[in-house]
């Protein structure tokens, strides 16, 4: 039996969300990552000729789980979502958390708890396929706002992603890259790779092109939230001897009022 690659179809919806269809040609299994916009998802499915079999939720916010019940009712799909938010996400059939895995056809996702943005947020890492869906935990050059978690929790959550291979493709849920880039430049002005990335994303956004996916390697070099150990950033923040969590917390605090 041949193994078809995991196909990822990405499309923008709502104001600044990205939504993703995943498809395994061999079995026909098709998942959507979160349900921000039912008509947009239906149109994307139709354009591909795919039948929805699964919803994979990252967290309970309306722009991630708001379309769950309508899609489930229309397609009979199975809803997979975070154990820790199973009472806040409509229609969950399979609740998953840290250490669990989920098979979409012949493709396996490892599930990681990444509390911080919400208390039960999870991400899906298809390790063999080299792709991960990180919801509102990590953005290009940014990270999710801490609505339900502490900086300590979020830093621990982000650390789980940093050990994945550098070429892992990271698909996040929003196009926030340009505003994140402007903040990143204020925190890490001496970073030449960041400056180059900013030029690239300015060009992409001027042409209304997506800046996503990013990669683990690129984020490690350019995302200030992943660089609390950087001497230049520590100097700028006047926190030369603080621990990484404290530096991360200060960067997050500054971003909130940027
Ligand atoms: Zn959210
Ligand atoms: Fe969101």
């Amino acid at each position: 039996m041949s193994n078809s690659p995991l196909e990822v179809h990405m499309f923008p919806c709502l104001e600044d969300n990205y939504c993703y269809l995943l498809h395994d040609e061999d079995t026909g299994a098709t998942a959507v990552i979160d349900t921000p916009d039912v008509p947009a998802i239906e149109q994307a499915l139709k354009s591909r000729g795919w039948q929805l079999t699964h919803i994979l939720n990252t967290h309970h916010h309306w722009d991630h789980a708001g379309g769950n019940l309508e899609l489930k009712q229309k397609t009979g799909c199975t809803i997979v979502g975070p154990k820790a938010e199973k009472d806040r996400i409509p229609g969950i059939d399979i609740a998953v958390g840290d250490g669990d895995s989920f098979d979409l056809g012949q493709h396996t996702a490892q599930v990681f708890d990444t509390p911080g943005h919400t208390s039960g947020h999870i991400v899906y890492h298809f390790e063999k396929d080299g792709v991960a869906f990180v919801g509102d935990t990590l953005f290009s050059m940014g990270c999710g706002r801490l609505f339900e978690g502490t900086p300590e929790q979020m830093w621990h959550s982000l650390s789980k992603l940093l050990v994945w291979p550098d070429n892992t493709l990271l698909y996040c849920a929003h196009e926030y890259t340009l505003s994140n880039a402007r903040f990143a430049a204020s925190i890490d002005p001496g970073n030449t790779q960041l400056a180059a990335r900013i030029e690239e994303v300015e060009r992409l956004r001027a042409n209304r092109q997506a800046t996503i996916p990013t990669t683990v390697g690129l984020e490690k070099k350019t995302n200030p939230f992943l660089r609390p150990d950087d001497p230049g950033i520590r100097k700028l923040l006047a926190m030369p001897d603080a621990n990484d969590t404290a530096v991360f917390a200060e960067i997050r605090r500054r971003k909130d009022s940027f």
Side-chain angles (χ1 to χ4, degrees):
M1 187 159 166
S2 73
N3 251 39
S4 56
L6 180 68
E7 291 178 60
V8 178
H9 175 58
M10 160 177 175
F11 54 97
C13 57
L14 304 182
E15 191 93 335
D16 52 28
N17 281 70
Y18 285 122
C19 193
Y20 304 99
L21 295 181
L22 315 186
H23 181 72
D24 177 46
E25 186 64 37
D26 287 339
T27 62
T30 303
V32 67
I33 302 290
D34 289 328
T35 57
D37 183 337
V38 172
I41 293 166
E42 290 178 317
Q43 197 195 346
L45 286 162
K46 200 173 163 203
S47 77
R48 289 296 170 127
W50 297 344
Q51 308 257 343
L52 191 68
T53 58
H54 294 86
I55 292 168
L56 306 182
N57 283 129
T58 60
H59 65 295
H60 69 83
H61 285 159
W62 70 271
D63 64 316
H64 297 263
N68 275 18
L69 291 182
E70 186 180 350
L71 280 170
K72 185 175 185 173
Q73 193 218 333
K74 285 177 165 168
T75 66
C77 67
T78 298
I79 302 182
V80 181
K83 234 179 231 168
E85 292 180 7
K86 71 176 189 328
D87 299 328
R88 293 200 280 179
I89 294 184
I92 284 198
D93 299 295
I94 302 174
V96 293
D98 234 11
D100 290 334
S101 61
F102 168 76
D103 289 340
L104 182 73
Q106 302 172 77
H107 303 274
T108 301
Q110 282 80 39
V111 176
F112 294 84
D113 288 335
T114 58
H117 177 68
T118 64
S119 59
H121 195 296
I122 58 172
V123 300
Y124 298 88
H125 181 208
F126 290 82
E127 188 177 6
K128 287 198 179 127
D129 303 280
V131 301
F133 298 89
V134 296
D136 286 358
T137 292
L138 179 81
F139 300 118
S140 184
M141 291 178 274
C143 74
R145 269 180 190 269
L146 304 181
F147 289 119
E148 298 176 10
T150 64
E152 288 75 13
Q153 284 177 314
M154 188 58 139
W155 174 242
H156 181 63
S157 296
L158 290 168
S159 302
K160 296 180 180 181
L161 284 50
L162 292 178
V163 301
W164 298 343
D166 278 353
N167 61 0
T168 306
L169 296 177
L170 299 175
Y171 291 94
C172 58
H174 294 274
E175 178 63 68
Y176 290 158
T177 311
L178 199 52
S179 62
N180 285 339
R182 291 183 176 136
F183 172 73
S186 78
I187 292 293
D188 197 5
N191 184 337
T192 53
Q193 289 173 101
L194 173 60
R197 173 69 173 151
I198 292 172
E199 261 183 49
E200 186 191 6
V201 304
E202 281 175 343
R203 187 172 44 75
L204 287 167
R205 293 312 293 155
N207 296 319
R208 296 172 179 240
Q209 286 177 280
T211 63
I212 305 303
T214 180
T215 66
V216 169
L218 186 58
E219 291 308 309
K220 285 200 289 200
K221 290 176 193 155
T222 59
N223 187 329
F225 294 96
L226 305 182
R227 300 167 54 73
D229 59 340
D230 181 76
I233 292 177
R234 286 169 164 260
K235 194 170 172 213
L236 184 137
L237 298 175
M239 300 177 79
D241 303 317
N243 63 35
D244 286 349
T245 305
V247 177
F248 170 80
E250 175 61 15
I251 297 171
R252 186 61 256 178
R253 195 189 63 77
R254 289 188 181 216
K255 175 69 166 67
D256 289 341
S257 56
F258 185 67

